[in-house]
Amino acid sequence: MAGGVSLATNPTTAVELAPRHPSGLRLKNPVMTASGTFGYGTEYAKLVDVEQLGAIVTKAISPKPREGNPGPRTVETPSGMLNAIGWQNVGLEACIRDYAPIWRRWRVPVVVNLAGFSVEDYRTVAEALSATPGVAAVELNISCPNVASEGTPFALRADLAAEVTAAVREVCEVPLIVKLSPNVTDVVEIAAAVHAAGADALSLINTLVGLVIDTRSRRPFLGNVTGGLSGPAIRPVAVRMVYEVAKALPGVPLIGAGGVMCADDALQFIMAGARAVQVGTASFVNPRAAIEVAEGIEAFLAREGVADVNELVGVAL
Ligand SMILES: Cc1cc2nc3c(=O)[nH]c(=O)nc-3n(C[C@H](O)[C@H](O)[C@H](O)COP(=O)(O)O)c2cc1C
């Protein structure tokens, strides 16, 4: 103590995202990467020390490899970007063969994001990955269209979201995170349904559907017509949704995502009720963004005399 100011020199930054799960999901700091913006981790491992992250979330994995949508697949927008990658990925088999052995050696939990077009797709991938050493947890990207329900994304209807969550829960041995879409009227309804169906934690938000028209060609700019809006433009929407879910479902572990560029942004999510955050679009600007967010949170705690980051979770509620 100096001059009455308490300085927590070594604040605790560890967070637990799956307290009800036997193996838990403990992160050494509350900063994760966001799916689709950090590859399989291996690409960035050449540039940054990935073991300084709280966790890595991979690009979505589907049962079979996918080439994704026709280009252009990304376009810059004010304070953000639109993307329509279309779940391009190496597929389950290559994921298990080529990447999991690398993840197993890393001292950072790797969470695999899952994509599927049917309940069976999700079950197949979740079952195989949850039995694969090197996979610490899975995150269901339920924004994929469900072929059995005329292409309605699972994330948009509470019954579909709960159905896929419950089906995966049955076969999934590792902690299960379900990622929510912002493209709904009432995110709390979906969050409650998914949690009741067995999700250990909820991540929110995925991208907002947007459209950019190229006025020279007079056509939609993206090959897929619409795309997902990410980056700082969506942050206030994301913070509001975390806040609403945290208020309605106290104690449910939440992971905030949407436009986190710096520690202050991450702290907004934490104060709104998130135990952890994901850094996405920012990694395209600066590959060290997520690590710098983690360092910035620790510096904030030390400066403010907060001994444990968990003390800040939901303080704004
Ligand atoms: C290029 C790109 C690809 C993405 N791919 C996925 C994906 O495969 N699965 C998923 O759940 N979310 C995906 N997302 C959404 C992000 O994980 C994140 O939820 C969203 O971008 C908001 O965070 P941000 O503003 O920090 O980017 C993708 C986002 C971008 C920009």
Side-chain angles (χ1 to χ4, degrees), residues 252-274:
V252 175
L254 304 181
I255 303 164
V260 174
M261 304 298 284
C262 64
D264 194 72
D265 301 341
L267 286 159
Q268 287 195 45
F269 278 101
I270 291 169
M271 292 177 187

Side-chain angles (χ1 to χ4, degrees), residues 157-174:
R157 270 182 34 194
D159 58 339
L160 296 178
E163 185 193 349
V164 69
T165 303
V168 167
R169 178 78 283 172
E170 276 174 17
V171 296
C172 180
E173 304 282 339
V174 293

Side-chain angles (χ1 to χ4, degrees), residues 42-66:
T42 49
E43 303 86 340
Y44 279 81
K46 295 173 194 143
L47 301 171
V48 303
D49 178 6
V50 293
E51 292 185 348
Q52 289 183 38
L53 293 162
I56 291 169
V57 184
T58 72
K59 177 69 190 159
I61 294 289
S62 54
K64 297 278 175 235
R66 284 177 57 85

Side-chain angles (χ1 to χ4, degrees), residues 29 31-33 37-38 43-54 260-263 279-297:
N29 67 60
V31 185
M32 315 166 77
T33 60
T37 63
F38 211 73
E43 303 86 340
Y44 279 81
K46 295 173 194 143
L47 301 171
V48 303
D49 178 6
V50 293
E51 292 185 348
Q52 289 183 38
L53 293 162
V260 174
M261 304 298 284
C262 64
V279 174
T281 302
S283 296
F284 295 146
V285 183
N286 169 14
R288 284 196 88 250
I291 292 172
E292 288 171 15
V293 169
E295 290 168 351
I297 291 173

Side-chain angles (χ1 to χ4, degrees), residues 34-37 59-60 81 83 85 87 113 139 141 179 205-207 230-231 234 257-260 278-281 284:
S35 176
T37 63
K59 177 69 190 159
M81 62 181 282
N83 90 83
I85 307 297
W87 299 296
N113 184 272
E139 179 183 62
N141 173 12
K179 184 163 177 180
I205 55 175
N206 212 316
T207 53
S230 63
I234 71 169
V260 174
Q278 295 179 349
V279 174
T281 302
F284 295 146

Side-chain angles (χ1 to χ4, degrees), residues 14 28 32 107 110 113 152 169 177 186 208-209 211 219 221 246 248 268-269 306 314:
K28 58 179 164 294
M32 315 166 77
R107 281 167 304 175
V110 175
N113 184 272
T152 304
R169 178 78 283 172
I177 302 167
D186 181 7
L208 284 139
V209 180
L211 173 59
R219 302 287 309 148
F221 184 91
Q268 287 195 45
F269 278 101
V306 180

Side-chain angles (χ1 to χ4, degrees), residues 142 157-166 178 180 186-199 202 249:
I142 57 169
R157 270 182 34 194
D159 58 339
L160 296 178
E163 185 193 349
V164 69
T165 303
V178 177
L180 305 180
D186 181 7
V187 72
V188 169
E189 183 202 0
I190 315 276
V194 158
H195 183 249
L202 309 177
L249 304 174

Side-chain angles (χ1 to χ4, degrees), residues 7-197:
L7 284 177
T9 43
N10 278 316
T12 302
T13 54
V15 295
E16 174 56 61
L17 295 181
R20 289 191 314 188
H21 191 278
S23 64
L25 181 59
R26 191 174 164 81
L27 275 50
K28 58 179 164 294
N29 67 60
V31 185
M32 315 166 77
T33 60
S35 176
T37 63
F38 211 73
Y40 302 102
T42 49
E43 303 86 340
Y44 279 81
K46 295 173 194 143
L47 301 171
V48 303
D49 178 6
V50 293
E51 292 185 348
Q52 289 183 38
L53 293 162
I56 291 169
V57 184
T58 72
K59 177 69 190 159
I61 294 289
S62 54
K64 297 278 175 235
R66 284 177 57 85
E67 293 205 339
N69 289 329
R73 308 205 289 189
T74 60
V75 58
E76 223 174 297
T77 59
S79 296
M81 62 181 282
L82 279 192
N83 90 83
I85 307 297
W87 299 296
Q88 178 189 358
N89 76 97
V90 297
L92 178 61
E93 205 182 303
C95 171
I96 293 173
R97 186 190 60 224
D98 300 337
Y99 294 104
I102 299 171
W103 299 335
R104 194 179 173 179
R105 293 198 295 271
W106 287 348
R107 281 167 304 175
V108 54
V110 175
V111 177
V112 180
N113 184 272
L114 308 189
F117 298 90
S118 65
V119 170
E120 217 30 60
D121 277 357
Y122 282 102
R123 270 173 75 99
T124 306
V125 186
E127 186 166 21
L129 285 172
S130 87
T132 302
V135 176
V138 297
E139 179 183 62
L140 296 194
N141 173 12
I142 57 169
S143 297
C144 313
N146 175 8
V147 285
S149 293
E150 290 163 356
T152 304
F154 292 90
L156 304 195
R157 270 182 34 194
D159 58 339
L160 296 178
E163 185 193 349
V164 69
T165 303
V168 167
R169 178 78 283 172
E170 276 174 17
V171 296
C172 180
E173 304 282 339
V174 293
L176 173 60
I177 302 167
V178 177
K179 184 163 177 180
L180 305 180
S181 166
N183 304 308
V184 294
T185 311
D186 181 7
V187 72
V188 169
E189 183 202 0
I190 315 276
V194 158
H195 183 249

